Amino acid sequence: MIATIGTEKMTAAQFDAIVDGLPPQYQAQARGPAKRQFMEQLVQLKVLARQAEIMHIDQSPQAKQQIAFARENILANMAGKAMVENAKVDRDALQKYYDDHKNDYQQVSAHHILIRFKGSPVPLKEGQKDLTEEEALAKAQDIEKRLKAGEDFAAIAKVESADAGSGAQGGDLGAPFKHGQMVKPFEDAAFSLKPGEISDPVKTQFGYHIIRVDKVDMKSFDDARAELESKVKPELAKKQIDALQKEAGVKLEDSFFGPPTPPPTAGIPQAAK
């Protein structure tokens, strides 16, 4: 036993089951540094709930309605979770999702040299001139020529790049990046290059970038399968839920709730489920 509240005993397993019902973002705290604080709040909840029963508050119509709603909410959440876990996904459906979302499974490792211009949010390095856009472009074009003529990328990046972090590493951007992690002009250029290729100057709000792609990785279907299932299963469960609502014969009074929400316009993503 880990706790006693009057005549009620609580085991560690019972405590864990209660914590499992919390939103995911709170579970680690309730099992870790806030464990006692959470238990003290739980004790207060149980004591007050017991007092409500003594006062017969649980027999009031309002309490009964709210208790019924809480029960339905718990069951609905558990049913939704079970439907996701039990959803059957065949290989063809996973393959189609993979083929339709290949960009999500591609990543690039790259180096870059940044030539900033006036107005860039990147701080001006000590000793560097605050260039106009025209001057920055001309300098970036000159560096591009030098690189394509065979000069060492890392050596130039250490001297010329306004990106102090990657510049100190010879222009190395570090961890590979996926689609959506870089500003769009940079991303478009990087994902269009083959390993070893050097880009023309690419303009972003930070300045002009010269990019060299080092490696392009594509996660295979088999390697991505578990991730694919985690994305496809909720979609299948959502279709089941929609079908259940349709079968239930739902009718809402527009005079009370207002007109139905129109379907999303094509091209605009639906709100997160």
Side-chain angles (χ1 to χ4, degrees):
M1 297 297 165
I2 62 166
T4 301
I5 309 163
T7 59
E8 182 181 354
K9 309 290 185 182
M10 182 178 291
T11 66
Q14 290 171 324
F15 178 84
D16 282 339
I18 293 171
V19 174
D20 285 341
L22 295 175
Q25 64 268 31
Y26 299 126
Q27 292 184 20
Q29 287 291 314
R31 287 193 172 95
K35 183 186 290 186
R36 186 176 190 89
Q37 181 183 2
F38 172 70
M39 188 60 202
E40 288 172 349
Q41 292 173 344
L42 185 58
V43 167
Q44 185 181 76
L45 182 149
K46 285 180 172 293
V47 169
L48 285 173
R50 188 174 301 164
Q51 183 62 28
E53 291 172 345
I54 293 170
M55 297 168 70
H56 303 296
I57 292 173
D58 59 318
Q59 298 304 311
S60 71
Q62 183 182 17
K64 287 182 177 180
Q65 189 170 24
Q66 291 188 22
I67 290 168
F69 175 75
R71 177 179 179 275
E72 288 176 338
N73 187 46
I74 292 167
L75 291 174
N77 286 333
M78 294 180 76
K81 183 178 179 181
M83 290 169 75
V84 170
E85 291 175 349
N86 297 332
K88 303 299 182 185
V89 188
D90 60 40
R91 182 183 175 87
D92 289 344
L94 291 178
Q95 186 68 58
K96 184 179 185 309
Y97 189 94
Y98 176 79
D99 292 339
D100 291 344
H101 298 83
K102 279 192 173 180
N103 281 355
D104 295 345
Y105 304 99
Q106 186 181 31
Q107 62 182 18
V108 161
S109 300
H111 283 61
H112 87 136
I113 295 169
L114 173 64
I115 307 302
R116 75 178 297 284
F117 48 64
K118 290 180 180 178
S120 168
V122 176
L124 186 66
K125 284 174 66 175
E126 186 177 351
Q128 284 192 335
K129 180 185 175 183
D130 198 6
L131 304 175
T132 65
E133 285 194 32
E134 294 77 13
E135 290 172 330
L137 176 58
K139 182 174 181 179
Q141 289 171 331
D142 178 63
I143 289 173
E144 176 197 351
K145 290 177 184 176
R146 291 164 58 191
L147 291 170
K148 290 182 177 178
E151 285 196 45
D152 184 68
F153 196 105
I156 296 176
K158 287 178 181 178
V159 175
E160 301 291 359
S161 183
D163 181 352
S166 68
Q169 305 302 317
D172 190 354
L173 286 165
F177 55 89
K178 298 180 179 181
H179 288 273
Q181 290 185 279
M182 298 291 186
V183 291
K184 194 171 189 319
F186 189 102
E187 175 187 304
D188 289 346
F191 280 95
S192 70
L193 296 171
K194 295 177 182 177
E197 284 188 330
I198 293 171
S199 72
D200 297 336
V202 177
K203 183 182 175 183
T204 71
Q205 68 265 40
F206 305 107
Y208 283 99
H209 308 256
I210 300 98
I211 307 164
R212 187 191 74 199
V213 165
D214 305 310
K215 188 178 181 183
V216 179
D217 289 315
M218 185 72 189
K219 188 179 285 189
S220 70
F221 172 82
D222 289 336
D223 288 342
R225 183 156 188 158
E227 185 179 347
L228 290 165
E229 288 189 358
S230 71
K231 292 183 177 180
V232 173
K233 281 188 171 187
E235 293 183 5
L236 293 176
K238 177 64 167 60
K239 289 180 181 178
Q240 286 183 277
I241 294 168
D242 290 343
L244 288 172
Q245 288 185 194
K246 190 174 181 179
E247 291 171 9
V250 177
K251 179 176 173 55
L252 303 179
E253 288 296 335
D254 293 351
S255 60
F256 183 82
F257 294 104
T261 304
T265 304
I268 299 177
Q270 298 186 42
K273 299 177 177 67

